[in-house]
Amino acid sequence: MAELGAQDLQVLGLKKSFGPNLVLKGIDLTIGAGEFVGLMGPNGAGKSTLIKILAGVYQASSGEVRLGGKVVRSLADSHDVAFIHQDLGLVDGLTIAENLGLGVPPKRLFGPILNPRAEREDAERALNLVGLEMPSDTLLADLTAGEKTLVAVARVMDRGARILVIDETTSTLPPADANRVISSLRAAAAAGASVIMVTHKLSEILDATNRVLVIVDGELVSDAPTEGLDRAGLVHMLMQHETDSRSITSARENQEPEPVLELRDVQLGKLRDVNLCLNAGEVVGISGLPGSGLHDIAFAVNGNVKPDGGEVILHRRGLRRALVPPHRESQGGFGALSVRENMSVSALARWLTARLIKGRMEVRDCTSVAKELSVQPPSIDNTFDVLSGGNKQKVIFGRALLRKPDVFVLCEPTRGVDVGTRSEIYRLIRELAQSGAAVLVASSDAEDLFSVCDRVALAVQGSLQPLRHISELTETELELMV
Ligand SMILES: Nc1ncnc2c1ncn2[C@@H]1O[C@H](COP(=O)(O)OP(=O)(O)OP(=O)(O)O)[C@@H](O)[C@H]1O
Ligand SMILES: [Mg+2]
């Protein structure tokens, strides 16, 4: 066996069960200095559970974690290791420098007198590590989501962390911001740190990592160098049994469009004169950078936001709409309720007879939707909170399906879902359109637009461009999105 370095992380025979459910079935792996490891696998495979055991959030049922050869209970207490979670642990009301200094004693000139210059210099040094050029007295609230993540990365790198663990933080960032975060992680790895990144994005794995681990159903099924892998090879490694999303057929052509819902000259915050027509049987995509008002348009279509001016025209009586919001945890799910309750909440009228809910029908319908979306674990009696990130997304999607609306408003429909479910969701969206629904996909993920949308429009510079066929977009416009 190769000699262990002081920084090597070893996981030996790690198992974890939640009640009777064995979620990790004996994971063995070693990660050394300078490695940038991508951790992939289907929703519910156990990736976050593994990370949470390393972070000391959960205790393993059996097995060991070793750092530099020494057994440790978790990595949480080690200064060498830093975890960057979705919630970055930063404070919006403080400046960058103050955030960087959180938890460390302030620099003093003498006695109680603070030394702001030294603090500024410290902050600048930290920001340099991630290539963020910005005055350190900028308020954190004024930063983009990606810049905030960079501050979080700068903070842990500056404190000497040698192992960085990042669980799907990039999935909620717009591509340009995600790229900046990943470049700084790459620089850290090049300087000798170990990086472990959980992501579902193939491009992130291919661009940044030098080793890919795949966990399926609690087991490490693949451990391979990234070099030599292409997109197809990676997809094959991930799913072996599923088809690629791009084989989906497009558009109902040669049919007279039947408008279902229209925005006419709508004024919405910074957006002026938004015109958008959703037709039955068609999937329309809208995209744009953060701050472009993309999701505001979606909320206006769904009726959650009243425009400042213009008209929202409903072309059908009793028109029904259903929304999949962009942030499933804060805007979508009721953590303490069951999967069934989360799914059925906006469709209860379906099972209502003489003021009574037909419980058995509700259970039957929810079970069948959960099955169609392959929600894991499959029981609809589970509490929403215990589901993995991607499975939460599926439940919220299921809620929209059960409502059987005329218009589906889907914000970031594939955020955080695995490669197999992504193609499943694309197939479902096409089926919804084919069965006559109008579908709006508001997404910052270019793959959503290419794979499933008939026509697309970009929100740029305060307006929504006219809808065009996806093949008509110019390269510059595409660059905006990828
Ligand atoms: N606190 C918990 N109680 C019970 N079961 C849990 C708990 N946390 C996770 N699980 C279960 O463990 C399994 C693995 O979940 P985990 O969050 O590790 O998946 P994941 O690989 O991170 O998936 P995703 O890609 O969707 O984030 C899932 O079946 C999940 O329902
Ligand atoms: Mg997860």
Side-chain angles (χ1 to χ4, degrees):
M1 194 174 128
E3 209 172 298
L4 278 181
Q7 186 187 316
D8 282 355
L9 166 67
Q10 269 185 306
V11 170
L12 298 167
L14 202 74
K15 292 190 182 168
K16 173 72 186 168
S17 358
F18 291 107
N21 188 8
L22 185 59
V23 170
L24 294 178
K25 300 176 178 168
I27 302 278
D28 293 296
L29 58 97
T30 302
I31 296 172
E35 286 200 277
F36 194 142
V37 176
L39 183 55
M40 302 198 87
N43 294 130
K47 304 176 297 293
S48 296
T49 305
L50 172 62
I51 302 298
K52 284 178 189 164
I53 291 174
L54 296 179
V57 178
Y58 297 145
Q59 216 180 338
S61 307
S62 61
E64 276 177 9
V65 177
R66 295 185 186 194
L67 193 59
K70 285 202 203 86
V71 178
V72 288
R73 222 173 61 81
S74 81
L75 304 176
D77 306 327
S78 167
H79 288 302
D80 288 335
V81 190
F83 292 86
I84 298 159
H85 298 288
Q86 208 85 51
D87 165 18
L88 300 170
L90 301 173
V91 183
D92 265 355
L94 298 180
T95 65
I96 296 181
E98 286 163 339
N99 269 288
L100 289 169
L102 278 179
V104 286
K107 285 270 161 54
R108 296 175 197 279
L109 271 174
F110 44 81
I113 312 292
L114 298 178
N115 184 350
R117 187 152 151 221
E119 294 203 326
R120 202 168 51 240
E121 282 168 5
D122 282 358
E124 277 160 17
R125 186 192 58 236
L127 293 180
N128 254 333
L129 294 173
V130 294
L132 198 60
E133 282 171 23
M134 199 170 258
S136 60
D137 57 357
T138 312
L139 208 57
L140 199 82
D142 294 334
L143 270 53
T144 66
E147 287 163 347
K148 287 181 189 175
T149 309
L150 284 172
V151 171
V153 174
R155 183 166 67 170
V156 297
M157 279 167 59
D158 192 49
R159 292 181 190 177
R162 307 294 301 152
I163 302 180
L164 301 175
V165 187
I166 174 158
D167 187 358
E168 276 205 65
T169 310
T170 48
S171 74
T172 46
L173 296 181
D177 281 352
N179 287 341
R180 285 174 80 182
V181 171
I182 286 172
S183 322
S184 68
L185 293 174
R186 262 170 76 166
S194 313
V195 181
I196 306 170
M197 175 172 76
V198 181
T199 180
H200 289 294
K201 297 211 167 157
L202 306 178
S203 57
E204 293 183 355
I205 294 286
L206 294 172
D207 294 348
T209 67
N210 46 35
R211 181 176 162 199
V212 199
L213 305 177
V214 180
I215 295 189
V216 174
D217 201 13
E219 286 178 277
L220 189 66
V221 296
S222 182
D223 180 349
T226 315
E227 207 182 340
L229 268 181
D230 58 7
R231 207 183 155 83
L234 190 53
V235 169
H236 182 73
M237 200 166 130
L238 278 170
M239 22 197 281
Q240 279 136 29
H241 49 279
E242 311 231 18
T243 51
D244 191 357
S245 56
R246 274 156 203 275
S247 56
I248 289 158
T249 54
S250 185
R252 304 204 302 185
E253 298 198 348
N254 311 324
Q255 282 192 22
E256 199 54 34
E258 180 209 333
V260 177
L261 185 148
E262 253 182 283
L263 301 187
R264 247 184 238 164
D265 298 328
V266 158
Q267 319 296 322
L268 201 57
K270 288 188 306 203
L271 284 163
R272 301 283 112 206
D273 303 325
V274 175
N275 287 293
L276 183 69
C277 180
L278 304 180
N279 296 320
E282 192 181 40
V283 185
V284 163
I286 54 174
S287 191
L289 293 172
S292 61
L294 175 67
H295 296 137
D296 297 334
I297 299 176
F299 291 145
V301 167
N302 193 54
N304 306 83
V305 169
K306 200 169 172 313
D308 309 320
E311 285 178 281
V312 180
I313 302 161
L314 312 182
H315 286 286
R316 284 183 191 168
R317 271 182 134 204
L319 177 128
R320 242 200 310 227
R321 293 169 275 189
L323 171 79
V324 171
H327 299 287
R328 57 187 175 240
E329 315 249 349
S330 56
Q331 298 170 327
F334 301 100
L337 298 185
S338 68
V339 166
R340 174 180 57 77
E341 288 162 312
N342 268 284
M343 274 194 178
S344 62
V345 64
S346 56
L348 288 173
R350 264 181 77 167
W351 305 289
L352 206 62
T353 36
R355 295 202 192 155
L356 284 178
I357 299 220
K358 285 196 183 153
R360 228 186 302 155
M361 310 274 271
E362 181 198 352
V363 168
R364 185 199 62 194
D365 292 349
C366 290
T367 307
S368 110
V369 167
K371 192 163 167 213
E372 188 168 13
L373 292 168
S374 53
V375 172
Q376 286 299 332
S379 164
I380 58 168
D381 297 327
N382 282 310
T383 311
F384 184 78
D385 254 351
V386 312
L387 294 190
S388 76
N391 281 295
K392 286 182 175 147
Q393 173 79 351
K394 295 184 208 171
V395 171
I396 304 298
F397 201 92
R399 179 192 297 168
L401 289 181
L402 278 167
R403 200 167 146 71
K404 291 200 190 290
D406 306 86
V407 181
F408 283 90
V409 182
L410 310 175
C411 298
E412 313 294 342
T414 56
R415 179 177 275 173
V417 305
D418 60 50
V419 180
T421 308
R422 181 185 280 266
S423 36
E424 194 54 21
I425 287 181
Y426 291 153
R427 191 186 57 74
L428 262 167
I429 292 177
R430 286 250 59 93
E431 274 179 20
L432 297 174
Q434 269 150 12
S435 66
V439 185
L440 177 69
V441 172
S443 175
S444 47
D445 185 335
E447 194 164 345
D448 289 349
L449 304 186
F450 289 117
S451 302
V452 80
C453 297
D454 301 317
R455 291 184 302 152
V456 294
L458 300 183
V460 269
Q461 293 170 345
S463 73
L464 184 69
Q465 296 178 343
L467 284 168
R468 280 173 302 163
H469 195 268
I470 185 86
S471 58
E472 293 167 22
L473 288 183
T474 66
E475 254 178 49
T476 334
E477 288 166 322
L478 293 180
E479 268 166 21
L480 265 178
M481 302 187 298
V482 286

